[in-house]
Amino acid sequence: MKGAEAIIKALEAEGVKILFGYPGGAMLPFYDALYESDLIHILTRHEQAAAHAADGFARASGEPGVCVSTSGPGATNLVTGIATAYADSSPVIALTGQVPTHLIGNDAFQEIDALGLFMPITKHNFQIQKPEDIPATFRAAFEIATTGRPGPVHIDLPKDVQEKEFDIEKYPIPATVDLPGYKPTTVGHPLQIKKAAKLIAEAERPVIIAGGGVNIANASEELIRLAELARIPVCTTLMGKGSFPEDHPLSLGMVGMHGTKAANYCVTESDVLIAIGCRFSDRITGDIKAFAPYAKIIHIDIDPAEIGKNVRVDVPIVGDAKIVLRDLIANLMRCEIKNKESWMERVNELKKASIPFMDYDDKPIKPQRIVKELMEALKEIDPNLKKTIITTDVGQNQMWVAHYFKVKNPRTFLSSGGLGTMGFGFPAAIGAKVAKPNYNVISITGDGGFLMNSQELATIKEYDIPIVICIFDNRTLGMVYQWQNLYYGKRQCEVHLGESPDFVKLAESYGIKGRRITEPGEIKEALLEAIKSNEPYLLDFVIDPAEALSMVPPGGRLTNIIQPVREEPKIRRACFEDIKNVRAEVKE
Amino acid sequence: MEHKHVISALVLHKPGVLQRISGLFTRRGFNIASITVGITENPEIARMTIVVKGDDKVLEQVIKQLNKLIDVIKVSDMDEKKTVQRELCLIKVYAPTESAKSQVIQYTNIFRGKIVDLSAETLTVEITGDEDKINAFIDLVRPLGIKEMARTGPTALMRGPKILKPKK
């Protein structure tokens, strides 16, 4: 059997049915073998989109997503997508072609040190030197990607390795993987869990921060049980959204830089803080010294390196969130849990003060109103939002949705948290829709982020993937605009995107329906029409470019939430006339 | 408080592992003072001795991050008092005259080093020991003129029967 056929066999053995990729010279033997296989390959229009789609597939389904590229530029194009998956602990398998082994190191055509390139942005990576190693390496790669703290794994595949014949009978896929340096701890230490249970039972003002790890560990049910059992209010990180239903009476919404007032104040006032599957990024803690100053911190995480990395921890528990929470609940059932009436009163008072105003009738449309009507429209179709997935891009669109959209179910809100990758949302929606074909998948994006991977309109048209794209269109890099207004004396440098393209015409040029919405009264109807159409659909919402979000300044205290003020900006912008003038001064 | 720490790591003996480890140090902003690598009694496993400078928090992160690497089997912070540490140093000393040469030979004998090469103008000394001993020898011959020098950085093992074992 040829190496390439063995790769297909290995993928099939792992249960892979769908791949996202882009062929090229060094990967041709693989694509030739693919011709004969039952695997479905989705040809994206850029490798970065293939990586994001595989990532979206993984986040929505919990199964590993697979993306493929050729060597050299194909591999470098995958990099941003793989780094995104790494930052958010998403199990993605990235296959790259490589020049034949005898040419490696000679700067051959389309050669790049892919092993070195992917090393710092993957959980692990391999370069296969001989086809005999394919079965065992693929088994190890999938094992590493999907267990412990999940993450992307990259496999570099030299062309001759793909072409060479070998006797696969002699090198079967191993039943078990033995990696001497890889033994993730899944069960939490019983003594630490007992300590945590005691602390929680005795707490007067406990708060839970649920991170992405709760979604990854599928530990939502346990989280809800814990919160209800001990009456603990729950806030989530951006990545933790969906792990706790945001319409639950104990939900505080999102915490951190763009967090709700309720969440930020509750964390600051808490006496016991239970952080689950969260890495205390700077976007969550703000000023570390002022973060949860009165709280004993219990930190549950499967990655020991996360514990104590950013904040001091009183009770560290290394383990899988689902298993640890089960044990913790069992322990807590045996404890006497303190009454929390006064804390609940305080929590509810803060929550009341956190209810956002969203009923704007303004023109241009206010983004808050779009989010509100999106919730309403979706609930008309899917009352419990069980079959609805929202992906966001990065920037203000992301934060408006993160802040205001009440996510109810795990793995239904997908966003690039750690790396903050513009261009992520739309291709990730493709992966999510492919993973969950019966779900309504809505891609919320800014105009800037959408343009970074808008070529994927061709992909959704070609494969007829019914995604609704909602562009929050302000012709501005909104988040940068806001920061320049706040921190750079309103001096707006290169954040205006201008009037092109006409997104509706752009969609139509790909054969996709598009509609521009400028009236607040049209929002819901347009959304319903797009979702119900069950075909690719682009909605261009023209929104107010000056609308900004409340936020905690970077490195600030969580309770120092500043409200945006509308300010007249000073704009810097050049045109070709200026370029000509500058060049004219240069001697011919 | 900044301290010097000697970290011993058992790693899989295969290509790219050193790159993974040094890359991790660069990326995380940990400062490596020295690193030595060599094979162990098991040909599939290499031992790295890494000297880092930093406070306890840095050390904890270094060890945890090293442990995260799939190719790293076991990591340990070596307590200096319970560790045998040795470093190899080769020093080419300028000694054009007979008296200079005999001086270097005398110093080398006192430090229990070896003369491993000789030319009309130079003597090359091989010396092993802990860091302080090597520094002392270098200080001693420096006035004569050190033409060239190569140091390995320390390598270490725990004293007594205790060994670094992979987790089961």
Side-chain angles (χ1 to χ4, degrees):
Chain A
M1 179 180 281
K2 277 187 178 169
E5 294 167 87
I7 295 168
I8 304 275
K9 281 258 172 303
L11 291 172
E12 285 170 346
E14 298 295 336
V16 174
K17 295 198 165 62
I18 295 168
L19 324 161
F20 304 88
Y22 205 106
M27 207 55 181
L28 281 177
F30 171 82
Y31 276 89
D32 189 53
L34 191 65
Y35 192 93
E36 298 286 333
S37 83
D38 292 330
L39 293 176
I40 293 174
H41 177 277
I42 292 177
L43 173 69
T44 56
R45 266 48 175 178
H46 191 294
E47 290 90 344
Q48 185 190 344
H52 289 322
D55 188 353
F57 181 96
R59 292 180 199 224
S61 65
E63 300 159 35
V66 182
C67 57
V68 189
S69 81
T70 188
S71 63
T76 57
N77 278 349
L78 277 186
V79 164
T80 304
I82 297 306
T84 306
Y86 184 59
D88 291 339
S89 308
S90 187
V92 171
I93 303 286
L95 309 181
T96 55
Q98 182 56 280
V99 302
T101 45
H102 72 274
L103 288 178
I104 290 177
N106 291 356
D107 304 322
F109 175 65
Q110 292 197 328
E111 187 195 352
I112 194 127
D113 172 17
L115 199 69
L117 206 60
F118 283 89
M119 209 174 264
I121 55 163
T122 51
K123 190 171 170 188
H124 194 61
N125 67 342
F126 301 92
Q127 184 176 65
I128 300 187
Q129 301 287 342
K130 47 185 198 299
E132 290 83 350
D133 291 342
I134 288 170
T137 306
F138 271 73
R139 184 72 275 279
F142 276 82
E143 181 74 13
I144 292 167
T146 54
T147 57
R149 178 180 186 170
V153 174
H154 159 240
I155 307 175
D156 199 34
L157 297 157
K159 193 174 186 180
D160 56 329
V161 173
Q162 298 172 50
E163 276 167 343
K164 219 163 139 193
E165 294 275 349
F166 77 112
D167 183 0
I168 197 166
E169 302 289 320
K170 285 190 188 155
Y171 302 92
I173 297 167
T176 53
V177 181
D178 183 37
L179 299 156
Y182 182 65
K183 314 263 185 235
T185 308
T186 51
V187 181
H189 196 285
L191 268 180
Q192 295 294 82
I193 290 177
K194 211 172 155 186
K195 248 202 240 172
K198 190 163 175 281
L199 261 183
I200 295 169
E202 287 169 3
E204 285 177 1
R205 301 182 309 280
V207 173
I208 293 172
I209 297 183
V214 182
N215 277 326
I216 292 170
N218 299 317
S220 255
E221 253 176 65
E222 288 78 5
L223 172 64
I224 298 167
R225 267 175 60 203
L226 171 69
E228 288 176 351
L229 177 68
R231 288 184 85 194
I232 314 171
V234 180
C235 54
T236 74
T237 66
L238 178 71
M239 297 309 295
K241 262 179 94 74
S243 65
F244 193 79
E246 292 187 295
D247 57 353
H248 192 287
L250 287 167
S251 169
L252 299 171
M254 190 169 72
V255 67
M257 178 180 276
H258 293 289
T260 66
K261 188 179 174 190
N264 285 3
Y265 274 74
C266 283
V267 165
T268 306
E269 292 173 19
S270 66
D271 65 345
V272 170
L273 185 65
I274 307 129
I276 312 162
C278 117
R279 62 192 174 86
F280 290 111
S281 97
D282 53 297
R283 286 296 193 261
I284 296 304
T285 61
D287 181 2
I288 289 273
K289 285 190 211 85
F291 178 73
Y294 316 110
K296 291 248 187 251
I297 298 179
I298 300 165
H299 190 183
I300 300 165
D301 205 294
I302 197 152
D303 181 356
E306 287 306 338
I307 291 174
K309 188 180 81 180
N310 296 340
V311 300
R312 68 192 158 81
V313 173
D314 299 283
V315 185
I317 305 173
V318 177
D320 177 84
K322 196 178 183 79
I323 299 171
V324 172
L325 285 180
R326 277 187 185 166
D327 291 346
L328 187 59
I329 290 163
N331 264 274
L332 208 54
M333 305 260 267
R334 294 194 285 270
C335 300
E336 198 179 318
I337 296 164
K338 208 164 215 168
N339 182 299
K340 296 190 190 71
E341 282 316 316
S342 66
W343 181 227
M344 286 300 134
E345 265 172 43
R346 173 70 178 146
V347 168
N348 288 328
E349 172 196 328
L350 283 166
K351 277 181 73 169
K352 261 184 214 139
S354 278
I355 297 170
F357 179 74
M358 295 166 85
D359 291 313
Y360 293 96
D361 286 324
D362 304 37
K363 260 184 85 177
I365 296 170
K366 295 275 193 189
Q368 296 89 325
R369 172 137 182 192
I370 307 175
V371 177
K372 176 180 165 266
E373 305 219 348
L374 178 65
M375 282 193 282
E376 288 172 4
L378 285 167
K379 279 182 185 166
E380 274 185 31
I381 295 164
D382 177 18
N384 283 312
L385 303 181
K386 281 263 181 223
K387 291 196 162 182
T388 297
I389 292 176
I390 306 253
T391 75
T392 79
D393 215 76
V394 165
Q396 282 187 321
N397 68 86
Q398 175 186 35
M399 287 309 149
W400 275 312
V401 179
H403 197 108
Y404 298 127
F405 194 95
K406 292 194 187 305
V407 183
K408 293 174 68 162
N409 301 291
R411 298 189 183 278
T412 63
F413 173 83
L414 314 183
S415 193
S416 166
L419 199 67
T421 307
M422 281 175 75
F424 166 84
F426 173 36
I430 298 176
K433 184 71 184 178
V434 167
K436 301 277 184 184
N438 297 326
Y439 280 47
N440 300 307
V441 176
I442 320 287
S443 159
I444 308 283
T445 175
D447 42 342
F450 181 68
L451 283 174
M452 284 196 178
N453 269 318
S454 64
Q455 76 285 344
E456 298 309 317
L457 286 167
T459 308
I460 59 170
K461 174 62 187 173
E462 206 56 37
Y463 292 89
D464 202 13
I465 301 172
I467 291 166
V468 178
I469 303 153
C470 299
I471 303 178
F472 282 24
D473 183 359
N474 54 13
R475 302 290 162 168
T476 307
L477 303 177
M479 194 69 99
V480 184
Y481 175 105
Q482 180 173 346
W483 283 50
Q484 287 183 343
N485 254 6
L486 278 171
Y487 303 114
Y488 296 90
K490 290 173 263 174
R491 285 147 54 96
Q492 281 175 8
C493 193
E494 305 297 327
V495 291
H496 290 277
L497 293 170
E499 286 312 307
S500 63
D502 177 328
F503 285 110
V504 174
K505 279 190 188 153
L506 181 72
E508 283 167 358
S509 78
Y510 283 100
I512 290 172
K513 274 190 191 158
R515 179 170 166 185
R516 179 173 300 110
I517 298 100
T518 52
E519 297 293 329
E522 292 173 13
I523 302 172
K524 192 152 121 197
E525 174 248 321
L527 281 162
L528 282 170
E529 182 190 304
I531 300 165
K532 285 179 177 166
S533 78
N534 202 27
E535 55 186 313
Y537 212 120
L538 181 146
L539 298 175
D540 181 24
F541 292 100
V542 179
I543 64 159
D544 182 355
E547 188 59 22
L549 290 141
S550 65
M551 67 183 282
V552 174
R557 288 162 188 262
L558 288 187
T559 48
N560 176 21
I561 300 170
I562 49 172
Q563 296 302 327
V565 243
R566 184 174 284 264
E567 293 185 272
E568 222 28 67
K570 302 174 226 168
I571 298 168
R572 180 191 185 278
R573 192 191 216 169
C575 66
F576 189 61
E577 271 308 304
D578 303 313
I579 297 167
K580 275 202 309 201
N581 291 338
V582 170
R583 294 306 296 169
E585 289 163 16
V586 181
K587 277 193 184 141
E588 289 293 321
Chain B
M1 264 285 277
E2 289 245 327
H3 284 295
K4 192 186 87 179
H5 293 277
V6 179
I7 295 169
S8 197
L10 296 180
V11 304
L12 291 181
H13 183 55
K14 55 184 198 185
V17 178
L18 182 60
Q19 188 185 350
R20 270 179 216 286
I21 289 177
S22 55
L24 181 135
F25 277 79
T26 316
R27 188 159 59 91
R28 301 260 170 202
F30 304 142
N31 210 353
I32 309 183
S34 76
I35 187 164
T36 62
V37 196
I39 205 159
T40 64
E41 71 287 354
N42 179 344
E44 285 173 9
I45 294 175
R47 180 189 283 266
M48 289 194 183
T49 308
I50 307 160
V51 180
V52 289
K53 284 192 177 139
D55 58 17
D56 291 348
K57 198 172 178 258
V58 168
L59 177 77
E60 185 188 325
Q61 264 302 304
V62 168
I63 290 178
K64 282 178 167 175
Q65 293 294 343
L66 280 172
N67 264 321
K68 264 178 90 160
L69 298 178
I70 309 287
D71 290 337
V72 173
I73 300 166
K74 179 87 186 174
V75 185
S76 175
D77 176 24
M78 306 283 270
D79 180 348
E80 269 201 83
K81 287 180 210 130
K82 296 177 186 159
T83 311
V84 191
Q85 281 183 33
R86 290 292 180 272
E87 183 176 358
L88 167 67
C89 183
L90 293 173
I91 311 164
K92 193 175 286 176
V93 188
Y94 182 60
T97 63
E98 280 312 308
S99 71
K101 282 195 178 77
S102 73
Q103 203 173 357
V104 174
I105 291 166
Q106 208 183 340
Y107 291 163
T108 305
N109 286 338
I110 293 166
F111 276 77
R112 279 178 284 169
K114 269 189 219 159
I115 308 291
V116 289
D117 189 43
L118 180 66
S119 74
E121 290 192 338
T122 62
L123 278 165
T124 301
V125 182
E126 169 198 316
I127 182 161
T128 63
D130 61 20
E131 201 186 353
D132 290 347
K133 174 182 163 185
I134 290 169
N135 286 344
F137 183 79
I138 292 166
D139 288 344
L140 209 57
V141 295
R142 195 185 302 278
L144 298 168
I146 298 173
K147 299 286 281 182
E148 208 176 22
M149 191 174 94
R151 284 178 82 154
T152 61
T155 187
L157 281 182
M158 276 182 272
R159 282 188 191 280
K162 244 181 120 184
I163 59 168
L164 210 57
K165 262 190 310 219
K167 264 190 280 185
K168 270 291 142 231

